[in-house]
Structures are given as structure tokens and as C-alpha cells.
């Protein structure tokens, strides 16, 4: 997609809590890296989030989705507001964008950078470098369900998990293509619970085996999700590309985040190849740190790196990642935890931006 003279259009949704603070640093680093690399872009900011919901009663205005489609990419901070009941913003905003833009891949790199502390004893950057390809539009996230006799002692609740051949296949294909592109261990591990979910995950298993036949150069590997959690701690070096369902992907990537140094450094992309896609740190809005200039902006900065890379602006992306690597390796950022960095949010952003423009 990279083309000389193209001016990219990026929609920015800072959101709630620490979202605006970390997004500001991501944009700062983009500015430094893009001007050094000659990448041109314009941004449009949207105030979607908890405050706006409390004011207007709507999580997203009707026109928002069509408007977002006109951008090359979306940069998202975080949502979640203490005065808004759980689920309202998640379903009305974040999941709505993921579903309506059909962002069927949730790409979550798990990479330990040199200089970053991991809780795993005797594991080093060369041991922790894999990617989770999380399906992003199906499973229990479809929001299909209901109650019977609600509020009574006989209450029954259903929450339906939906898996389609189409949704499963496109996700698995993406994972195999990615394993080729990475050209590292050339292994895709399917993570499921097909020993218990003998319908939905049997579909995943069967689809995986069929797709794998088209990739004889890539090892097709399998782990049940419970065992996967154990291996991620004991032998993370085994993994190259993990492909998994939406809910399991959600859960194992929090585990992935902590082994790579914590929520402060974990980035993600909600992707539909070739279409408007959305990039965000995987952390939430962390209201207790909001407005204090103490949150770690590196996850948001690395999400920006993924965004720019997705646009095909590889030089800008490389500058951002190298700047993060140098900053993390410098030993100047004392911890990845909010409030313990020995620097403020904006100082970390300034530091990385200055390295990105060199
Ligand atoms: C994530 C989050 C979301 C999810 C929530 C906020 C709906 O936990 O991006 O991992 O479950 O996907
Ligand atoms: Mn999550």
C-alpha cells in the first residue's frame, strides 16, 4: 500500500481513562518517525467513549461506522468508565467496530524486548517471540443468548458460541501465511478445546488440518488451551504462531502480555487485510492512573508501529520499533509498570520520539 506522496487518513479514538495520555505519546512518536521517513498522514480525532456516552446516551453515533470506513486505519486508546456499567462500551463501541468493520484477525505479538523484565525465570528475549492470531468476529463474542425465568430460582441462561467454516478458515489461512512471512520456526500451533467442545472446535480442528495441507513447508502443531497456558510459562520458546478462537485468544494474550513484560508493552491489531483496520494497546482504561501522567505509553506506541506497518510504511514502522528497542535497552525506563517507570508518560514518549527521529 505504500506509495510515494500518499497522504494516509488515520482516525484517532483516544477513549477513556489513560487512553488519551498514551495515544498522545503514540502520535508524538508517529510524528517524529514519519517526518524522518517521509511518510505523510492526517488525523481526525473522535471523542467516543464513556464521557460522551454519559452525555448523549449513545456509545457510537449512527454515522460513525460508515465514517470510520473512509480512513486507512484507526488508532484506538482504551475504553471503560467507572460510571458506565460493564458491557455497554465494550459491546456498543469496541466490539461493534470489530464486528461491523469485519476485523476478523486480532493480532497480538508476544515479544520480550532486551532490557524488559519477565516473571519467567531463566527466559530471555530469544525465548519469548511469538504471535497470537486470535479470531475476532465469532465465538461467544457474537452476543447471542437469552434468559429463561430471569431472576427466579429456576433461572436458565444461554450464551451461544458461533463458529463458521468461513470465519475459521480465513483466520487459519492468515496464521499460516504469517508463519511463512515471519520465516522463523515456521510452525503454527492450533489452540483449542476440541476434546470437550466436540462441535465448534471439531470444526476448527478439521479446517486446520485441511488448510495445513496447502502449507507443507509449515509445521502444523496442536495444543489444548489448558496445556497451552502451561507451555507458555514453561517453554515459550516452542511457539511461533498460535491460532485460536476469540475467547481463548482473549485469555491467553493476557498471559502472553505478562511474560513479555506486562500490559504496559503489549500491542494489538484488529485486522481485515486490505481494509480499514484498528490498532490498540491491549490494556484497558486503568481509571486509577488516569490524568496522572504515569501510564506506560509503550504498548500504545507499539500499536502505532503495527498500524504503520499495516499501511505498508515499513521505514516508519522500523524507526518506531528500533526507537522502542533502544529506549528499553537503555536501562533508563526502570519498570514497565505504571507509576514505577522512573519517568512520566510524556517523558517516555519524548525519549522514544527523539530516538525515532535520529
Ligand atoms: C481485549 C479486551 C476486550 C475483549 C474487552 C474490553 C471487550 O479484553 O481487547 O482483549 O474481550 O476482546
Ligand atoms: Mn482481553
Amino acid at each position: 500500500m505504500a506509495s510515494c506522496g500518499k497522504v494516509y487518513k488515520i482516525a484517532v479514538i483516544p477513549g477513556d481513562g489513560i487512553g488519551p495520555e498514551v495515544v498522545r505519546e503514540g502520535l508524538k512518536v508517529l510524528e517524529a518517525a514519519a517526518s524522518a521517513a517521509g511518510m505523510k498522514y492526517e488525523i481526525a480525532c473522535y471523542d467516543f467513549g464513556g464521557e460522551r456516552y454519559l452525555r448523549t446516551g449513545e456509545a457510537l453515533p449512527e454515522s460513525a461506522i460508515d465514517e470510520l470506513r473512509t480512513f486507512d486505519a484507526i488508532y484506538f486508546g482504551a475504553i471503560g468508565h467507572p460510571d458506565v456499567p460493564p458491557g455497554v462500551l465494550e459491546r456498543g463501541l469496541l466490539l461493534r467496530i470489530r464486528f461491523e468493520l469485519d476485523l476478523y484477525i486480532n493480532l497480538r505479538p508476544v515479544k520480550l524486548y532486551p532490557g524488559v523484565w519477565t516473571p519467567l525465570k531463566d527466559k530471555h528475549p530469544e525465548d519469548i517471540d511469538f504471535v497470537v492470531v486470535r479470531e475476532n468476529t465469532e465465538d461467544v463474542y457474537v452476543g447471542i443468548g437469552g434468559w429463561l425465568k430471569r431472576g427466579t430460582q429456576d433461572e436458565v441462561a444461554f450464551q451461544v458460541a458461533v463458529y463458521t467454516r468461513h470465519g475459521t478458515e480465513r483466520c487459519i489461512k492468515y496464521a499460516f501465511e504469517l508463519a511463512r512471512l515471519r520465516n522463523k520456526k515456521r510452525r503454527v500451533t492450533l489452540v483449542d478445546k476440541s476434546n470437550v467442545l466436540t462441535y465448534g472446535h471439531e470444526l476448527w480442528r478439521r479446517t486446520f488440518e485441511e488448510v495445513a495441507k496447502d502449507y507443507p513447508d509449515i509445521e502444523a502443531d496442536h495444543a489444548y488451551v489448558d496445556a497451552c497456558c502451561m507451555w507458555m510459562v514453561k517453554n515459550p520458546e516452542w511457539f511461533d504462531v498460535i491460532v485460536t478462537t476469540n475467547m481463548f485468544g482473549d485469555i491467553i494474550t493476557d498471559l502472553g502480555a505478562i511474560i513479555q513484560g506486562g500490559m504496559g508493552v503489549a500491542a494489538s491489531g484488529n485486522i481485515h487485510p486490505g481494509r480499514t483496520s484498528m490498532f490498540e494497546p491491549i490494556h484497558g482504561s486503568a481509571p486509577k492512573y488516569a490524568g496522572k501522567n504515569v501510564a506506560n505509553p509503550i504498548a500504545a506506541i507499539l500499536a502505532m508501529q503495527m498500524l504503520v506497518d499495516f499501511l505498508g510504511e515499513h521505514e516508519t514502522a522500523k524507526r518506531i520499533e528500533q526507537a522502542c528497542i533502544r529506549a528499553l535497552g537503555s536501562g533508563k525506563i526502570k519498570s514497565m509498570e505504571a507509576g514505577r517507570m522512573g519517568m512520566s508518560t510524556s517523558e517516555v514518549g519524548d525519549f522514544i520520539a527523539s530516538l525515532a527521529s535520529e
Side-chain angles (χ1 to χ4, degrees), residues 73-135:
I74 305 163
Y75 187 46
F76 189 91
I79 44 137
H81 192 288
D83 302 334
V84 180
V88 173
L89 298 169
E90 288 83 347
R91 190 149 286 292
L93 207 162
L94 181 60
L95 298 181
R96 187 152 169 233
I97 297 174
R98 288 180 184 169
F99 276 72
E100 292 211 22
L101 296 184
D102 197 27
L103 306 175
Y104 64 90
I105 299 297
N106 197 323
L107 189 64
R108 299 189 158 187
V110 178
K111 187 169 180 176
L112 177 67
Y113 287 108
V116 177
W117 178 81
T118 175
L120 300 187
K121 190 165 172 276
D122 300 332
K123 296 296 176 190
H124 307 282
E126 60 273 23
D127 303 314
I128 302 176
D129 181 7
F130 61 95
V131 181
V132 178
V133 175
R134 165 185 174 192
E135 200 289 323

Side-chain angles (χ1 to χ4, degrees), residues 98 106 108 134 141 247 249-251 253-254 263 282-283:
R98 288 180 184 169
N106 197 323
R108 299 189 158 187
R134 165 185 174 192
Y141 280 79
M247 177 58 99
D250 176 46
I251 298 166
T253 53
D254 267 32
M263 285 295 178
I282 86 168
H283 63 65

Side-chain angles (χ1 to χ4, degrees), residues 157-319:
F158 299 90
Q159 190 92 42
V160 177
V162 172
Y163 307 98
T164 68
R165 169 72 197 211
H166 171 67
T168 306
E169 189 174 310
R170 63 183 179 172
C171 181
I172 292 170
K173 278 190 175 154
Y174 183 96
F176 275 96
E177 290 293 333
L178 183 61
R180 263 190 191 159
L181 203 67
R182 279 168 63 81
N183 197 20
K184 290 189 173 171
K185 298 188 187 87
R186 299 180 74 83
R187 172 183 300 137
V188 179
T189 305
L190 170 65
V191 169
D192 65 28
K193 191 72 184 173
S194 50
N195 50 347
V196 174
L197 304 180
T198 50
Y199 303 106
H201 288 204
E202 196 273 339
L203 169 62
W204 269 79
R205 198 78 185 250
R206 216 173 345 110
T207 307
F208 183 77
E209 276 156 20
E210 281 173 34
V211 171
K213 289 196 189 109
D214 295 334
Y215 298 86
D217 51 317
I218 304 294
E219 181 190 343
D221 176 44
H222 175 264
Y224 292 125
V225 66
D226 44 357
C228 171
C229 292
M230 176 185 71
W231 294 120
M232 278 173 69
V233 171
K234 189 170 182 285
N235 295 109
E237 65 279 4
W238 173 259
F239 296 110
D240 180 18
V241 175
I242 288 178
V243 64
T244 191
T245 55
N246 203 345
M247 177 58 99
F248 290 169
D250 176 46
I251 298 166
I252 69 169
T253 53
D254 267 32
L255 177 56
I258 193 62
I259 69 172
Q260 72 177 123
M263 285 295 178
V265 287
S268 75
N270 302 269
I271 295 171
H272 185 128
R275 291 204 207 160
T276 308
S277 296
M278 177 166 75
F279 298 81
E280 54 170 331
I282 86 168
H283 63 65
S285 60
K288 69 174 176 184
Y289 298 122
K292 298 195 170 125
N293 203 20
V294 295
N296 187 342
I298 295 176
I301 293 168
L302 289 169
M304 179 57 85
Q305 182 262 331
M306 292 178 75
L307 183 155
V308 165
D309 199 55
F310 168 82
L311 293 176
E313 292 292 324
H314 303 300
E315 196 198 329
T316 307
K318 202 159 178 203
R319 277 182 172 274

